[in-house]
Amino acid sequence: MKFFALWLLTITLSSAKLTVSSLNPILTDFIERVGGDKVEVIQVMPLGADVHSFQPKAAQVAKMQESALIFAMGKNIEQYLGGLQQTLQGDQQIIEVGRSIPSQKVDADPIYSCCPAHSKGAIDPHWWHNVENAERAVKVIAAALEEADSTNKGYYQENATALRKEYRNLHNWVKSEVSKIPKKQRTLVTAHAAFAYFCKEYKFEAAYVEGLSRESEISAKQFADTVKTLKDKKVRAVFPEKLANPKMLKQIALETNAKVGDALYADAITTSYKKMIEHNVTSIVNALQ
Ligand SMILES: [Zn+2]
Ligand SMILES: [Zn+2]
């Protein structure tokens, strides 16, 4: 009987997974790749939700109580983190994955920023568009998993090393793809100010035309100014975003004789981080080269 109980205990222990919560599908992808079959991920924000306005519901907050670690993108993209922190138990920890990633400040007219929290001069939260930052994020996630579950340290380290190598290759692929676009044609015109990290790393000039709001329209004067600026820059294409209204962008494209590129993923992914980057870069290179 004693032997049986011990056996049962061993089985239970060896199959017990570390439960963590993820506040963003991009993080879920990273965590699942590093955590493999040793980690159970509670995905809090569903695919396709707007990262700037999403708030977890009470039931989701209750579910998060089951997890040892809670992973957030950080850089104040989850504006509810302060409130969430107060509802947590003492031994639960929120890991802001973006915290150690070098920050850029938002440098866009307020009407083109995603939301009031990220207007000109605030820290720009969109760090994931520079693939080098994804490598940094994987390192942070792996360290947290290793600390919370040291039995599987080697396993997490191995997965993290492989994933960082994959993102190193992806980063190099992005650089080689964008090199097909002549320097003077590298203006990236998007709806909201989400691509500053991308533009800085891969040497584009960023321009915004619309903001993220689905309803509000820019004024006639702003419209005319935008058209003039884009004409002066001889921009070849403008890019809608998967979650933003393409109407204004299409009008601007018409007025400036620019192409409308394939819609970019600014704040959301469909299947994986890698697929999001590949989609965006392919769309940008096809339209601008
Ligand atoms: Zn925002
Ligand atoms: Zn955004």
mmCIF file of all heavy atoms in Angstrom, residues 51-53 76-77 79 113-119 125-126 192 212 267, ligand 1:
data_model
loop_
_atom_site.group_PDB
_atom_site.id
_atom_site.type_symbol
_atom_site.label_atom_id
_atom_site.label_comp_id
_atom_site.label_asym_id
_atom_site.label_seq_id
_atom_site.Cartn_x
_atom_site.Cartn_y
_atom_site.Cartn_z
ATOM 1 N N VAL A 51 -5.334 45.023 -28.369
ATOM 2 C CA VAL A 51 -4.404 45.037 -27.240
ATOM 3 C C VAL A 51 -4.437 46.366 -26.473
ATOM 4 O O VAL A 51 -4.107 46.418 -25.294
ATOM 5 C CB VAL A 51 -2.988 44.683 -27.760
ATOM 6 C CG1 VAL A 51 -2.396 45.812 -28.593
ATOM 7 C CG2 VAL A 51 -2.051 44.311 -26.663
ATOM 8 N N HIS A 52 -4.860 47.448 -27.139
ATOM 9 C CA HIS A 52 -4.876 48.754 -26.473
ATOM 10 C C HIS A 52 -6.099 48.959 -25.584
ATOM 11 O O HIS A 52 -6.110 49.816 -24.718
ATOM 12 C CB HIS A 52 -4.807 49.889 -27.498
ATOM 13 C CG HIS A 52 -3.515 49.896 -28.252
ATOM 14 N ND1 HIS A 52 -2.368 50.413 -27.729
ATOM 15 C CD2 HIS A 52 -3.201 49.406 -29.468
ATOM 16 C CE1 HIS A 52 -1.384 50.250 -28.611
ATOM 17 N NE2 HIS A 52 -1.858 49.642 -29.660
ATOM 18 N N SER A 53 -7.155 48.195 -25.834
ATOM 19 C CA SER A 53 -8.363 48.420 -25.040
ATOM 20 C C SER A 53 -8.810 47.193 -24.248
ATOM 21 O O SER A 53 -9.705 47.278 -23.422
ATOM 22 C CB SER A 53 -9.507 48.889 -25.955
ATOM 23 O OG SER A 53 -9.748 47.915 -26.945
ATOM 24 N N ASN A 76 3.658 49.335 -20.519
ATOM 25 C CA ASN A 76 2.335 49.945 -20.331
ATOM 26 C C ASN A 76 1.344 49.658 -21.460
ATOM 27 O O ASN A 76 0.421 50.430 -21.693
ATOM 28 C CB ASN A 76 2.471 51.463 -20.119
ATOM 29 C CG ASN A 76 1.201 52.072 -19.556
ATOM 30 O OD1 ASN A 76 0.461 51.412 -18.833
ATOM 31 N ND2 ASN A 76 0.919 53.322 -19.902
ATOM 32 N N ILE A 77 1.504 48.537 -22.167
ATOM 33 C CA ILE A 77 0.458 48.211 -23.145
ATOM 34 C C ILE A 77 -0.745 47.611 -22.420
ATOM 35 O O ILE A 77 -1.884 47.815 -22.822
ATOM 36 C CB ILE A 77 0.955 47.330 -24.302
ATOM 37 C CG1 ILE A 77 -0.077 47.329 -25.431
ATOM 38 C CG2 ILE A 77 1.245 45.896 -23.884
ATOM 39 C CD1 ILE A 77 0.471 47.528 -26.771
ATOM 40 N N GLN A 79 -2.745 48.367 -19.703
ATOM 41 C CA GLN A 79 -2.914 49.492 -18.785
ATOM 42 C C GLN A 79 -3.624 49.081 -17.490
ATOM 43 O O GLN A 79 -3.759 49.874 -16.566
ATOM 44 C CB GLN A 79 -3.647 50.631 -19.492
ATOM 45 C CG GLN A 79 -2.766 51.248 -20.575
ATOM 46 C CD GLN A 79 -3.546 52.032 -21.599
ATOM 47 O OE1 GLN A 79 -4.421 52.815 -21.244
ATOM 48 N NE2 GLN A 79 -3.259 51.811 -22.875
ATOM 49 N N SER A 113 -1.658 58.288 -32.800
ATOM 50 C CA SER A 113 -1.211 57.294 -31.832
ATOM 51 C C SER A 113 -2.389 56.374 -31.514
ATOM 52 O O SER A 113 -3.544 56.695 -31.783
ATOM 53 C CB SER A 113 -0.655 57.967 -30.582
ATOM 54 O OG SER A 113 -1.671 58.631 -29.912
ATOM 55 N N CYS A 114 -2.060 55.220 -30.957
ATOM 56 C CA CYS A 114 -3.075 54.184 -30.772
ATOM 57 C C CYS A 114 -4.131 54.573 -29.749
ATOM 58 O O CYS A 114 -5.301 54.273 -29.885
ATOM 59 C CB CYS A 114 -2.389 52.901 -30.357
ATOM 60 S SG CYS A 114 -1.138 53.145 -29.106
ATOM 61 N N CYS A 115 -3.698 55.234 -28.670
ATOM 62 C CA CYS A 115 -4.616 55.568 -27.592
ATOM 63 C C CYS A 115 -3.955 56.641 -26.737
ATOM 64 O O CYS A 115 -2.749 56.845 -26.840
ATOM 65 C CB CYS A 115 -4.954 54.317 -26.781
ATOM 66 S SG CYS A 115 -3.516 53.516 -26.063
ATOM 67 N N PRO A 116 -4.713 57.341 -25.902
ATOM 68 C CA PRO A 116 -4.136 58.447 -25.125
ATOM 69 C C PRO A 116 -2.914 58.041 -24.290
ATOM 70 O O PRO A 116 -2.020 58.858 -24.065
ATOM 71 C CB PRO A 116 -5.292 58.887 -24.225
ATOM 72 C CG PRO A 116 -6.519 58.451 -24.938
ATOM 73 C CD PRO A 116 -6.159 57.182 -25.661
ATOM 74 N N ALA A 117 -2.864 56.794 -23.838
ATOM 75 C CA ALA A 117 -1.739 56.362 -23.000
ATOM 76 C C ALA A 117 -0.420 56.317 -23.772
ATOM 77 O O ALA A 117 0.657 56.351 -23.197
ATOM 78 C CB ALA A 117 -2.024 54.994 -22.409
ATOM 79 N N HIS A 118 -0.523 56.226 -25.104
ATOM 80 C CA HIS A 118 0.691 56.102 -25.909
ATOM 81 C C HIS A 118 0.805 57.252 -26.899
ATOM 82 O O HIS A 118 1.029 57.040 -28.083
ATOM 83 C CB HIS A 118 0.700 54.752 -26.643
ATOM 84 C CG HIS A 118 0.507 53.596 -25.726
ATOM 85 N ND1 HIS A 118 -0.463 52.637 -25.913
ATOM 86 C CD2 HIS A 118 1.151 53.262 -24.587
ATOM 87 C CE1 HIS A 118 -0.399 51.761 -24.926
ATOM 88 N NE2 HIS A 118 0.558 52.114 -24.108
ATOM 89 N N SER A 119 0.602 58.461 -26.410
ATOM 90 C CA SER A 119 0.737 59.594 -27.322
ATOM 91 C C SER A 119 2.159 60.151 -27.244
ATOM 92 O O SER A 119 2.984 59.645 -26.481
ATOM 93 C CB SER A 119 -0.315 60.649 -27.012
ATOM 94 O OG SER A 119 -0.195 61.038 -25.679
ATOM 95 N N PRO A 125 4.913 51.152 -26.823
ATOM 96 C CA PRO A 125 4.859 49.759 -26.362
ATOM 97 C C PRO A 125 5.109 48.705 -27.457
ATOM 98 O O PRO A 125 5.238 47.538 -27.142
ATOM 99 C CB PRO A 125 3.416 49.627 -25.855
ATOM 100 C CG PRO A 125 2.629 50.588 -26.682
ATOM 101 C CD PRO A 125 3.565 51.729 -27.014
ATOM 102 N N HIS A 126 5.189 49.107 -28.725
ATOM 103 C CA HIS A 126 5.190 48.110 -29.821
ATOM 104 C C HIS A 126 6.568 47.481 -30.075
ATOM 105 O O HIS A 126 7.032 47.421 -31.216
ATOM 106 C CB HIS A 126 4.684 48.750 -31.109
ATOM 107 C CG HIS A 126 3.306 49.310 -31.019
ATOM 108 N ND1 HIS A 126 3.050 50.591 -30.574
ATOM 109 C CD2 HIS A 126 2.102 48.769 -31.296
ATOM 110 C CE1 HIS A 126 1.742 50.820 -30.601
ATOM 111 N NE2 HIS A 126 1.137 49.727 -31.022
ATOM 112 N N HIS A 192 -1.803 53.495 -37.723
ATOM 113 C CA HIS A 192 -1.414 54.028 -36.415
ATOM 114 C C HIS A 192 0.074 53.816 -36.145
ATOM 115 O O HIS A 192 0.753 53.081 -36.845
ATOM 116 C CB HIS A 192 -2.317 53.514 -35.297
ATOM 117 C CG HIS A 192 -1.893 52.266 -34.592
ATOM 118 N ND1 HIS A 192 -1.874 51.022 -35.176
ATOM 119 C CD2 HIS A 192 -1.499 52.068 -33.309
ATOM 120 C CE1 HIS A 192 -1.500 50.128 -34.272
ATOM 121 N NE2 HIS A 192 -1.258 50.727 -33.133
ATOM 122 N N LEU A 212 -5.841 54.765 -34.810
ATOM 123 C CA LEU A 212 -6.400 53.418 -34.693
ATOM 124 C C LEU A 212 -7.917 53.433 -34.561
ATOM 125 O O LEU A 212 -8.586 52.442 -34.794
ATOM 126 C CB LEU A 212 -5.787 52.716 -33.472
ATOM 127 C CG LEU A 212 -5.944 51.203 -33.401
ATOM 128 C CD1 LEU A 212 -5.318 50.530 -34.605
ATOM 129 C CD2 LEU A 212 -5.288 50.675 -32.134
ATOM 130 N N ASP A 267 -0.792 44.791 -34.008
ATOM 131 C CA ASP A 267 -0.902 44.434 -32.598
ATOM 132 C C ASP A 267 -1.364 43.006 -32.382
ATOM 133 O O ASP A 267 -1.590 42.597 -31.252
ATOM 134 C CB ASP A 267 -1.932 45.357 -31.904
ATOM 135 C CG ASP A 267 -1.515 46.809 -31.957
ATOM 136 O OD1 ASP A 267 -0.309 47.079 -31.935
ATOM 137 O OD2 ASP A 267 -2.394 47.675 -32.022
HETATM 138 ZN ZN ZN B 1 -2.026 52.324 -27.188
#
